[in-house]
Amino acid sequence: MARASFGIGPVRVRPGYAREVELPITRLVTGAEITLPVRVVHGREDGPTVWVTAAIHGDEVVGIEVIRRVVARLNPKAFRGTLVAAPIVNVFGFTSGDRYLPDRRDLNRSFPGSARGSLASRIAHLVMTEVVGRGEVGIDLHTGSFGRTNHPQIRADLDDPRTRELAAAFAAPVMINARLRDGSLRGAARDRGAAVLLYEAGEAWRFDAWAIEPGVVGVRRVLAALGMVEPVDDVAPTPSLVSRSSGWVRARRTGILQLDAVLGQRVEVGDRLGSLSDSFGKTLRLVHADRSGIVIGRTTTPLVNRGDALIHIAGLEPDPLPQPSAPEADPLSHDLEPDLS
């Protein structure tokens, strides 16, 4: 029996085909229509439905490129199941160069939304109805907020066996047990019964290969684990390091920051991470690790005030396998407290 077509918005996608769909959001005062771009890959064979989203914050462009590369490598005629990809959820922020919506609302604090609410609420409702509500597994792609950069990592509910299995399949360098935030897409999707992974890597407005490629491979590994594509790796990838707690080392003086620590570096309590100096180069204070773990985030801002977050360190569970030494150079670099994703 032939597989049924997949309905989304005003269109239906036949099995074995991919199609781009523009879902209406609203109109500008000029009358121009603003739409949510979605690409559907509807496989010829039966399988699960998975959604992938990016740019919920308009300046987080890494995920846009991850989705482009993932979709470009899929053959709908050999694909099993359905992929619903929304590469630019916050169309307004993306086109205006802003993290937030025009009314300054954070779209990732507006889910599940309402069809009659604010602009943020209506976009959230549209995404929940047409994208998230379609699938049992979701991957939400993020980067660090402005002035911060993140080591590639998965944030998820690792206490849920299904979610942890998919996080392990993604095989990012680190996977973190992260609590849900009210109004987040991940929280709303979990309430609908979906297993959700949140991928963090890189920084705002940058296409860095070291942040993009692990996301591409990770998404494809999850699809392979679900039986939707053929296996990605010839040999099993290195298992992710596991963290259940993290925290920021903060500046104890105002000054100009010189960071020595790099993303992915293992640190111990008391290790030197950098220094703060005045405008003439006089050292005001050294920056030391206040916990042991791995560096998963860092500021990219050289001028800091007392109390500013400098280095994000995730504590680690015992290694599943011996790990390679820390990188010698930072490829240049949100935070569980607070989590801005």
Side-chain angles (χ1 to χ4, degrees):
M1 182 177 179
R3 191 178 188 215
S5 60
F6 184 84
I8 182 169
V11 306
R12 300 195 69 83
V13 185
R14 291 186 294 164
Y17 287 86
R19 185 165 177 179
E20 295 178 3
V21 182
E22 299 288 337
L23 301 176
I25 297 174
T26 190
R27 288 186 179 274
L28 300 176
V29 293
T30 62
E33 188 173 52
I34 301 297
T35 60
L36 177 72
V38 176
R39 185 167 179 83
V40 176
V41 181
H42 190 45
R44 178 176 288 174
E45 301 181 43
D46 288 335
T49 299
V50 175
W51 51 267
V52 185
T53 53
I56 284 182
H57 296 124
D59 57 359
E60 297 182 345
V61 299
V62 163
I64 299 174
E65 180 64 7
V66 169
I67 289 177
R68 186 192 71 80
R69 295 188 191 185
V70 168
V71 172
R73 298 177 190 180
L74 295 181
N75 176 4
K77 299 192 183 305
F79 193 62
R80 295 179 286 275
T82 304
L83 178 70
V84 183
I88 308 174
V89 175
N90 186 352
V91 178
F92 290 90
F94 177 72
T95 55
S96 64
D98 197 345
R99 178 179 176 86
Y100 302 112
L101 289 164
D103 59 4
R104 303 304 300 164
R105 280 185 169 89
D106 185 340
L107 181 54
N108 208 29
R109 296 293 178 268
S110 303
F111 288 90
S114 167
R116 293 182 173 84
S118 66
L119 176 61
S121 188
R122 286 186 286 120
I123 295 174
H125 176 77
L126 176 66
V127 172
M128 290 299 297
T129 303
E130 295 289 355
V131 179
V132 174
R134 307 295 183 133
E136 55 264 40
V137 173
I139 306 174
D140 190 22
L141 307 172
H142 287 263
T143 71
S145 55
F146 181 76
R148 293 181 180 178
T149 185
N150 285 332
H151 189 52
Q153 60 197 260
I154 283 292
R155 298 178 180 182
D157 178 7
L158 301 184
D159 292 325
D160 175 65
R162 175 64 164 158
T163 303
R164 180 160 183 150
E165 177 186 0
L166 295 173
F170 195 108
V174 186
M175 59 181 183
I176 304 171
N177 191 58
R179 67 187 181 90
L180 296 171
R181 291 278 174 174
D182 291 341
S184 68
L185 171 61
R186 186 165 72 97
R190 277 297 310 276
D191 289 343
R192 297 280 183 93
V196 186
L197 307 180
L198 189 151
Y199 176 67
E200 281 272 6
E203 60 182 299
W205 292 122
R206 287 182 65 94
F207 272 1
D208 287 311
W210 61 266
I212 294 169
E213 194 54 31
V216 175
V217 176
V219 172
R220 287 184 57 83
R221 284 172 178 151
V222 171
L223 297 180
L226 294 169
M228 302 171 76
V229 298
E230 296 305 311
V232 176
D233 303 291
D234 293 330
V235 297
T238 302
S240 303
L241 300 174
V242 180
S243 173
R244 289 186 170 273
S245 64
S246 73
W248 284 90
V249 176
R250 297 184 177 273
R252 297 192 176 184
R253 291 284 296 270
T254 296
I256 299 173
L257 177 66
Q258 298 287 342
L259 278 181
D260 303 320
V262 298
L263 293 178
Q265 179 178 331
R266 298 288 196 94
V267 297
E268 301 292 336
V269 174
D271 283 356
R272 175 172 169 167
L273 306 177
S275 62
L276 290 164
S277 64
D278 64 17
S279 57
F280 295 103
K282 178 184 176 181
T283 299
L284 302 174
R285 183 139 194 163
L286 298 180
V287 180
H288 293 101
D290 60 1
R291 70 192 68 205
S292 299
I294 184 172
V295 176
I296 60 168
R298 50 169 281 180
T299 182
T300 60
T301 305
L303 177 61
V304 298
N305 293 299
R306 184 174 183 176
D308 285 354
L310 306 181
I311 292 281
H312 197 186
I313 301 174
L316 296 175
E317 293 184 349
D319 293 349
L321 288 174
Q323 297 295 314
S325 59
E328 295 182 0
D330 189 355
L332 188 216
S333 179
H334 125 0
D335 166 8
L336 299 190
E337 184 199 2
D339 183 353
L340 302 177
S341 294

